[in-house]
Amino acid sequence: MIRVLDVAAFGEIATGLALLAAPSFVGQVLLGEALTGAGIPTARVAGIALIALGVACWKNSGLLGMLIYSAAVACYLAFFGLMEGSAGVLLWPAAGLHAVLTTLLWRSHTKPHTS
């Protein structure tokens, strides 16, 4: 039987994927105005968050959701900083913090569970 939470999770994952692939288009159809400038990378980070939220709800694992979010945001921020060539003062510290969090979350995720 399909849980309501699974349906909601699927919807959030789909919306997150759309924000990653076409943030300006999603802004246009959702808000009535295309996203530009800093709105595009911000929408992509929001898309990553929606995907992580959807996975966390679907798999009943907040740890997995945070691991996916932190890893994806670390990669995206680093990619953005390297490819776009422009960065705010906190871009690299945020990317580094998410990389450290990813490592800690991964260690916690792979640690054997004891009863």
Side-chain angles (χ1 to χ4, degrees), residues 44-88:
R44 287 193 169 124
V45 170
I48 291 168
L50 288 176
I51 292 166
L53 174 66
V55 170
C57 291
W58 181 41
K59 294 292 189 178
N60 292 322
S61 174
L63 178 60
L64 180 60
M66 285 304 295
L67 175 59
I68 290 169
Y69 172 75
S70 201
V73 166
C75 291
Y76 178 69
L77 291 177
F79 173 81
F80 182 78
L82 293 171
M83 299 310 283
E84 296 296 321
S86 62

Side-chain angles (χ1 to χ4, degrees), residues 5-115:
L5 187 57
D6 292 337
V7 173
F10 176 78
E12 296 306 328
I13 292 169
T15 303
L17 290 171
L19 280 167
L20 281 177
S24 188
F25 174 74
V26 173
Q28 179 67 47
V29 297
L30 190 63
L31 305 172
E33 190 171 325
L35 300 176
T36 60
I40 291 175
T42 303
R44 287 193 169 124
V45 170
I48 291 168
L50 288 176
I51 292 166
L53 174 66
V55 170
C57 291
W58 181 41
K59 294 292 189 178
N60 292 322
S61 174
L63 178 60
L64 180 60
M66 285 304 295
L67 175 59
I68 290 169
Y69 172 75
S70 201
V73 166
C75 291
Y76 178 69
L77 291 177
F79 173 81
F80 182 78
L82 293 171
M83 299 310 283
E84 296 296 321
S86 62
V89 67
L90 291 179
L91 178 74
W92 289 109
L97 176 62
H98 280 285
V100 169
L101 287 172
T102 298
T103 302
L104 295 172
L105 289 163
W106 178 256
R107 289 178 64 195
S108 181
H109 180 69
T110 58
K111 185 162 101 174
H113 299 287
T114 58
S115 302

